[in-house]
Amino acid sequence: MKIAVLGTGMVGEAIASRLMGLGHEVTMGSRTGNNPRALAWAARTGGGARTATFGEAAAPSELVFNCTKGSSSLEALRAVGAERLEGKILVDVANDMSAAGKGPLSLAEEIQEAFPGARVVKTLNTINCGVMVDPSRLSGAHAVFMSGNDREAKGRVGELLRSFGWREVIDLGDIATARATEAYLRLWLSLSRALGTVQFNIALVR
Ligand SMILES: NC(=O)c1ccc[n+]([C@@H]2O[C@H](COP(=O)([O-])OP(=O)(O)OC[C@H]3O[C@@H](n4cnc5c(N)ncnc54)[C@H](OP(=O)(O)O)[C@@H]3O)[C@@H](O)[C@H]2O)c1
């Protein structure tokens, strides 16, 4: 599948590399298109890895990952433009670290509201990027969550998550349920400090 990964940070790199390994055609997007981190990633990854601006990366892609800084995600997606996101699955992995007190909507809802033609699916934002793309790093069963309004889009994203190795993919419901996973960030940060590691996740016991 043709996939755009918008973001040149550690999350963008982890997801783009994993997708390349699974045989997808990946373009890493940045503001400039020739971001040094993106170019270094492409050089390391070898033939086939592409870099471009956010908009150029998204234009030919069937599915777009938003791995940009949460407080700048709307700006990054505005640079892509609504027409290039129309009908596409937009997987939102971002957390807005500055969101406290901003209002009731989650970033995912703000993105869905700003780009009504995109099929936004929030997922993977509750886990460190190393574990996101390789859940087998942690022993035992542990869960990843998914929120979105479009059932078919969630089905496709669920397949992609299973190809990463995820077995327990919990569909929480519509995009408003992303409020819960975005709010979890505070607990995640406290847990990380208490446990002294970023390599952990939630396991559900019924
Ligand atoms: N670290 C984790 O394990 C983890 C886990 C869960 C969720 N997340 C979330 O994943 C996202 C990515 O995290 P990260 O640490 O990989 O990267 P990051 O440093 O949070 O974001 C880097 C990306 O944001 C873009 N950006 C920064 N300022 C911008 C602006 N003013 N306008 C447009 N784009 C801008 C950068 O564009 P350029 O490429 O042009 O510089 C770059 O591509 C974040 O939202 C983070 O909260 C991270």
Side-chain angles (χ1 to χ4, degrees), residues 79-104:
V80 173
E83 67 290 346
R84 289 189 181 124
L85 294 170
E86 188 66 31
K88 292 188 182 163
I89 298 174
L90 176 55
V91 184
D92 176 31
V93 175
N95 285 316
D96 184 354
M97 315 288 267
S98 67
K102 267 193 182 167

Side-chain angles (χ1 to χ4, degrees), residues 170-185:
I170 313 255
D171 182 352
L172 294 174
D174 69 13
I175 199 67
T177 63
R179 292 180 200 186
T181 59
E182 290 187 24
Y184 166 70
L185 178 63

